[in-house]
Amino acid sequence: MNSAQMVLLVATVLFTLGLVGVLTRKNVIFMLISVEIMLNAAGMAFVAAGSKWQQPDGQVMFLFILAMAAAEVSVGLALVLQIYHQHKTMDVDRLKELRD
C-alpha cells in the first residue's frame, strides 16, 4: 500500500469513528466533536486524493472544509449555550422529553 492509500484508510477510520460518535452519544457537545472528526476525515481524504494526482484541488477543498467547520462550531456552540441556559441539561434524550 502506498502513502495515499494509507491516508485514505486513516480517513475512513476517522470518519467511521465520528459517525459512531454522532449516532451513539447523547451529549450535544460530544456530537459536535464527532461531526468535527468527520469533517477532518473528509478533508484528509481530499488532501490525499489531491496529492495522488498532483493537483492543488484537495488542499483548496480542505480550506473550504476548515471554513465550514469554523462556522459550524461557532453556531453549534451558541446553540449549545442557549439550550443549556434554558434547560440546564445537554442530554439529547432529556431534551426530547421536554419537547412535549
Side-chain angles (χ1 to χ4, degrees):
M1 285 178 44
N2 60 17
S3 63
Q5 289 175 335
M6 289 298 290
V7 172
L8 286 174
L9 181 67
V10 170
T12 303
V13 169
L14 282 175
F15 191 86
T16 305
L17 287 174
L19 184 63
V20 168
V22 167
L23 295 176
T24 60
R25 294 293 182 167
K26 303 214 185 285
N27 191 325
V28 177
I29 294 175
F30 285 120
M31 292 171 78
L32 285 173
I33 291 171
S34 297
V35 169
E36 289 297 317
I37 291 171
M38 291 169 62
L39 286 172
N40 284 325
M44 186 184 274
F46 275 118
V47 170
S51 70
K52 179 178 169 72
W53 291 297
Q54 286 84 33
Q55 296 289 325
D57 299 343
Q59 294 175 3
V60 171
M61 287 302 297
F62 186 65
L63 289 175
F64 284 125
I65 289 172
L66 284 178
M68 185 180 65
E72 181 257 335
V73 164
S74 63
V75 170
L77 287 178
L79 288 173
V80 163
L81 288 173
Q82 188 65 28
I83 288 170
Y84 185 76
H85 180 69
Q86 287 181 356
H87 302 292
K88 303 293 187 230
T89 185
M90 297 308 303
D91 189 14
V92 175
D93 289 335
R94 184 151 157 88
L95 290 172
K96 286 181 183 176
E97 291 172 4
L98 292 174
R99 181 175 36 178
D100 295 335

